Amino acid sequence: MFLPASSISNASKTTVATPLILASSSPYRRELLSRLRIPFFTVSPDVDETPLQGEDPRSLALRLAHAKAQIVATKYPGHIVIGADQAASLHGTPIGKPGDQASAQRQLRTLSGQTVVFHSAMSVALDQHIQTVEVPTICVFRTLTDAAINRYLAIDTPFDTAGSAKAESLGIALMQSMESSDPTSIIGLPLIALTRLLTDFGLDPLDHAEMN
């Protein structure tokens, strides 16, 4: 059973059926959430993702995840809403999405042999109640030749991905090592942390996952 916002800290109160919403248009996050086998639908949040002046990547990811969940939760009262965002940094400097092949080439040349932190932030909201977490992933890139970079970009076309590396695909081969407490965090939706948050909201996947 699902807990309304007023009942999150008191499981003895009346419960209501609460639909689940993913506040994202990302196919990668949609695929990840489907692994929990709980019915959901997606809503694209209308959020300006421009960083604030002086805002570091971690703070940016946390702010946007919170905003996405909050905006959609306001439009869909009584629903459990998941908002997520990811930002990457190299020595504290933000790393954005390349947008095109030339930018991706330059980005991967810069990241070759370097350590990059991917900050995956996530918020779960139900009406006025919201919880937000951040799960970092520390990635050490291999030393990459131009030939390897060009072949990778031709195969994976990661132009909509921060760091020009799709870790759920061939981009994993760009890595020398990867460290995180949550293996799906690098893809943009930390499922271990999400399971914990959903359980706090009365939606434990082990209780609510569909058989088929």
Side-chain angles (χ1 to χ4, degrees):
M1 59 185 64
F2 304 92
L3 299 182
S6 60
S7 305
I8 289 173
S9 61
N10 188 348
S12 65
K13 294 185 179 181
T14 304
T15 58
V16 295
T18 309
L20 181 64
I21 300 175
L22 175 62
S24 175
S25 59
S26 166
Y28 313 118
R29 293 191 178 104
R30 185 169 61 246
E31 188 278 328
L32 285 172
L33 183 55
S34 69
R35 297 185 193 181
L36 299 185
R37 305 177 68 90
I38 299 174
F40 69 94
F41 63 97
T42 62
V43 175
S44 297
D46 185 14
V47 175
D48 182 358
E49 299 189 0
T50 304
L52 302 176
Q53 185 173 4
E55 188 173 38
D56 62 86
R58 180 179 183 273
S59 297
L60 171 65
L62 286 166
R63 177 175 62 83
L64 293 180
H66 187 280
K68 292 173 182 179
Q70 188 175 50
I71 287 173
V72 174
T74 300
K75 296 178 180 179
Y76 292 85
H79 292 61
I80 294 176
V81 180
I82 302 166
D85 195 81
Q86 186 182 75
S89 63
L90 173 64
H91 309 312
T93 301
I95 301 170
K97 300 175 182 179
D100 56 45
Q101 179 160 335
S103 296
Q105 287 173 328
R106 290 192 296 270
Q107 196 170 74
L108 286 178
R109 289 189 188 113
T110 299
L111 299 183
S112 174
Q114 299 295 314
T115 298
V116 177
V117 181
F118 290 85
H119 305 274
S120 295
M122 182 173 55
S123 290
V124 176
L126 175 58
D127 297 327
Q128 300 303 312
H129 185 81
I130 186 165
Q131 294 187 41
T132 303
V133 299
E134 181 257 345
V135 181
T137 303
I138 301 172
C139 297
V140 179
F141 278 69
R142 293 170 51 187
T143 300
L144 304 170
T145 64
D146 282 349
I149 289 172
N150 291 335
R151 179 168 174 77
Y152 168 69
L153 293 178
I155 294 172
D156 244 6
T157 61
F159 309 135
D160 63 343
T161 305
S164 304
K166 290 185 178 180
E168 71 278 9
S169 186
L170 182 60
I172 198 70
L174 301 174
M175 305 300 172
Q176 177 177 309
S177 66
M178 186 179 296
E179 180 182 350
S180 179
S181 63
D182 205 322
T184 61
S185 176
I186 185 63
I187 308 175
L189 196 68
L191 291 183
I192 294 175
L194 178 58
T195 296
R196 184 173 66 251
L197 290 181
L198 289 178
T199 299
D200 288 345
F201 280 77
L203 188 56
D204 186 338
L206 293 179
D207 293 333
H208 296 277
E210 293 188 335
M211 296 296 292
N212 296 311

